[in-house]
Each structure stands twice: as structure tokens, then as C-alpha cells.
């Protein structure tokens, strides 16, 4: 079974991005590399990176740390239909979502991340789902044209699909955007590009290695 083992963000200012991800504590979950200078990116990039955590206090701690490091709050930490969540935009333009299924206060922050989820906004849910199945990913959950989640090996990134406009609305940003996605997905042994233009490249590390690379993982849509 193919799994998503690593996420690489392509940033225009590598030094600034390294500083933000080190200060915010989010760097343990992604890789960074310089973006091609001649490839523009405008507006919504069609994806969000989500961390599922145990408690509301964990959500607040992540939002506060990200904002203190330079992120912009798109949705303050608060109760939601699905639980408790918040959304921020990193200085490099990546949208991060933090969510807990717990709505009630149940103690101090644990500092634990239960899942790392990459949500891709799609133009045609059926076509993109079939594409990924053909490339070796197994569907774990599917709600018609509303949401698809693929099975993930232990320690890997969970990949999920959501309609592009719905994903942008959920993140609190306009759906308009174009140019480079500024993200590369790592896993498997082949290079390919999905129907929405997201590029895959062969994975080069084990999931455990990937989690610690940068410094030195329930459904999260609906925050």
C-alpha cells in the first residue's frame, strides 16, 4: 500500500521559514526547501496541513505558539461543530489547522499530536479518488463527494480529499488562487502529478525519521 510519508513545503525565503518553523514547533512535521523563483503562487494554494490533538488546551497552545512566531490567525481557537479548533496562516503562506474532538475543557495541554493530516482541495472528488486508488492508496473512509480519507501506515501522514471551495471556506480564506501549490508529497517509489496538480516524489526516509527531520498526525475538516 502506498502511504504519504513526508510533506515538503517550498518557500520563497528559506531562512525566514526555518526560523518560523523552529520557533513555532511546527517544523517537526514538515520539510522545507527553496521554491523556484520563476514559478508564481497566488491566493489559496489548495491544501491545508492539520494537526489533531487530544485537548482544547493543545489547540490553544499551538495557535499561540504559531502566532507568537509570526503566523496570522485565520480562525481563533474556539468550539466548532466537530470539537475545538483554530486555523493560522504561516508567513510562507501555508495554512495550518489545529483540532481536537473534545469540546469541553479536560485539563492542561499534553503537548501530543495524534495525527498529521494533509487535506487536498479537489475539483472532482470522484476522479481524484479513483486516481489515488489506481496509484496504490487504499480508501479508509469516504462520504461521497464530500470527503475521502486514505489509509495511512503507522507513523505516516494521513491524506484526505475535500472539495476545493469547501476547504477554502473551512480555512477562512477565499477559494481563488493559482500558480504553484508550493508543496511536494513524498511516498512510494514513483513521481507523478494528481488531477489537481499536486506533485508526488519518492519517499526518502522512514516515517519516524521524517517526523524529526525539520529541526533540528478523525476528520479535521470543519474546524
Amino acid at each position: 500500500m502506498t502511504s504519504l510519508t513526508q510533506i515538503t513545503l517550498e518557500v520563497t525565503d528559506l531562512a525566514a521559514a526555518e526560523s518560523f518553523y523552529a520557533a513555532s514547533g511546527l517544523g517537526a512535521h514538515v520539510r522545507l526547501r527553496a521554491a523556484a523563483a520563476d514559478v508564481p503562487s497566488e491566493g489559496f494554494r489548495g491544501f491545508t496541513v492539520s494537526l489533531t490533538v487530544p485537548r482544547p488546551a493543545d489547540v490553544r497552545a499551538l495557535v499561540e505558539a504559531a502566532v507568537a512566531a509570526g503566523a496570522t490567525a485565520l480562525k481563533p481557537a474556539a468550539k466548532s461543530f466537530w470539537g475545538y479548533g483554530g486555523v493560522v496562516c504561516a508567513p510562507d503562506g501555508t495554512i495550518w489547522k489545529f483540532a481536537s474532538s473534545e469540546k469541553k475543557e479536560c485539563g492542561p495541554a499534553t503537548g501530543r499530536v495524534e495525527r498529521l493530516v494533509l487535506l487536498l482541495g479537489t475539483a472532482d472528488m470522484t476522479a481524484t479518488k479513483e486516481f489515488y486508488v489506481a496509484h496504490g492508496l487504499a480508501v479508509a473512509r469516504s462520504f461521497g463527494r464530500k470527503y475521502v480519507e486514505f489509509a495511512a501506515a503507522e507513523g505516516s501522514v494521513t491524506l484526505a480529499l475535500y472539495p476545493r471551495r469547501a476547504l477554502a471556506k473551512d480555512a477562512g480564506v477565499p477559494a481563488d488562487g493559482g500558480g504553484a501549490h508550493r508543496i511536494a508529497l513524498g511516498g512510494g517509489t514513483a513521481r507523478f502529478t494528481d488531477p489537481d496538480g499536486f506533485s508526488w516524489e519518492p519517499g526518502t526516509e522512514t516515517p519516524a525519521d521524517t517526523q524529526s527531520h525539520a529541526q533540528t498526525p478523525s476528520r479535521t475538516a470543519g474546524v
Side-chain angles (χ1 to χ4, degrees):
M1 180 184 74
T2 300
S3 291
L4 177 60
T5 58
Q6 61 202 45
I7 299 171
T8 301
L9 302 178
E10 299 176 338
V11 299
T12 55
D13 188 331
L14 185 57
E18 288 174 339
S19 178
F20 166 78
Y21 282 100
S24 66
L26 298 176
H29 306 290
V30 293
R31 294 174 157 213
L32 303 172
R33 70 184 178 208
D38 59 343
V39 182
S41 179
E42 299 179 353
F44 182 49
R45 297 178 184 172
F47 72 91
T48 62
V49 183
S50 299
L51 299 182
T52 302
V53 295
R55 299 175 176 176
D58 289 301
V59 173
R60 290 195 297 274
L62 286 165
V63 170
E64 290 167 5
V67 170
T72 300
L74 298 177
K75 287 187 176 182
K79 288 183 181 180
S80 69
F81 182 79
W82 298 106
Y84 194 94
V87 184
V88 303
C89 183
D92 65 280
T94 300
I95 295 175
W96 285 82
K97 301 174 59 181
F98 312 120
S100 171
S101 60
E102 290 286 345
K103 292 185 179 183
K104 297 181 180 180
E105 296 298 332
C106 50
T110 66
R112 292 191 294 111
V113 172
E114 296 174 332
R115 288 207 302 169
L116 170 62
V117 184
L118 177 64
L119 276 159
L120 302 183
T122 69
D124 186 327
M125 290 285 287
T126 299
T128 303
K129 173 184 174 182
E130 292 176 350
F131 175 89
Y132 277 114
V133 170
H135 279 76
L137 279 78
V139 174
R141 292 195 294 169
S142 179
F143 299 90
R145 297 178 181 271
K146 295 182 178 180
Y147 180 79
V148 174
E149 182 180 300
F150 297 99
E154 184 176 356
S156 295
V157 183
T158 298
L159 178 68
L161 309 177
Y162 210 53
R164 179 185 168 91
R165 289 194 173 277
L167 183 59
K169 181 179 180 180
D170 182 64
V173 297
D176 297 335
H181 290 299
R182 300 240 191 266
I183 187 172
L185 286 60
T189 59
R191 293 182 180 273
F192 59 88
T193 301
D194 80 3
D196 298 288
F198 289 98
S199 297
W200 282 68
E201 54 194 28
T204 58
E205 296 182 344
T206 65
D209 290 335
T210 301
Q211 291 298 315
S212 61
H213 173 85
Q215 286 357 328
T216 297
S218 74
R219 178 177 175 184
T220 56
V223 169

